[in-house]
Amino acid sequence: MSYLRWALFTVPLILFLGIASGRVAGSGYGNRWFASLAKPELMPPGWVFGIVWPILYLLLGFALAMILHARGAHMRWPAIILFVTQLILNFIWSPLFFTAHQVTNAFYLMLGISGLTVLTIILFAVVRKAAAILLLPYLLWLGFAAYLTLEIDLLNPAAETLVAPAMRTQI
């Protein structure tokens, strides 16, 4: 299968799964629980996440397509397995944070995702250096997301027990 065919499969799939994970979890500023939390000073506005994550998912899809296209390359399968593992954990992060309100566990999960991503980049570099380079913005954003998660955890020690305020209605 050519690189283009792989990309036509991987890019929409990763983009769809990433967006679906966030939507199902109710992630973002529209989440009442999240809106009630104290945020760090470096917290970007909500629209930034809506731009950054789709771009990162596109880069992930193209990188994976390069690796899938590299038939017979040394370390190809371990690279694919690590990539899929970190991606599944990435998709678990939003429900853990936004739905289960497990901020501390979400921070530790983010550290695990970051560690697996470093290993994935190393293996991707063995297979295709360009694929490894495509993962670098993702790794940087994961580091920033880990910082934000840690700061939210420190600013909101009772976040896991916080109940979101009910919506007000006037009749």
Side-chain angles (χ1 to χ4, degrees), residues 65-127:
M66 284 182 196
I67 301 303
L68 290 170
H69 181 63
R71 286 201 183 123
H74 178 67
M75 301 302 287
R76 177 178 173 249
W77 277 109
I80 292 168
I81 291 167
L82 264 178
F83 177 89
V84 169
T85 302
Q86 69 78 28
L87 189 64
I88 290 169
L89 292 175
N90 177 304
F91 295 154
I92 291 171
W93 187 90
S94 287
L96 182 66
F97 183 87
F98 289 102
T99 305
H101 306 168
Q102 297 294 313
V103 181
T104 304
N105 290 333
F107 170 69
Y108 291 126
L109 178 60
M110 186 61 68
L111 292 180
I113 296 166
S114 299
L116 287 175
T117 300
V118 168
L119 295 175
T120 302
I121 289 171
I122 292 167
L123 290 182
F124 272 31
V126 170
V127 179

Side-chain angles (χ1 to χ4, degrees), residues 3-98:
Y3 169 71
L4 178 61
R5 287 184 185 159
W6 279 119
L8 287 172
F9 173 73
T10 59
V11 170
L13 177 66
I14 291 174
L15 190 59
F16 171 77
L17 291 174
I19 292 171
S21 169
R23 297 283 170 142
V24 166
S27 61
Y29 285 88
N31 181 301
R32 292 185 318 214
W33 170 80
F34 180 68
S36 68
L37 297 175
K39 315 285 188 310
E41 286 186 29
L42 291 179
M43 187 72 163
W47 61 266
V48 171
F49 295 94
I51 292 173
V52 170
W53 274 112
I55 291 170
L56 294 174
Y57 289 140
L58 290 172
L59 294 175
L60 291 173
F62 286 123
L64 179 60
M66 284 182 196
I67 301 303
L68 290 170
H69 181 63
R71 286 201 183 123
H74 178 67
M75 301 302 287
R76 177 178 173 249
W77 277 109
I80 292 168
I81 291 167
L82 264 178
F83 177 89
V84 169
T85 302
Q86 69 78 28
L87 189 64
I88 290 169
L89 292 175
N90 177 304
F91 295 154
I92 291 171
W93 187 90
S94 287
L96 182 66
F97 183 87
F98 289 102

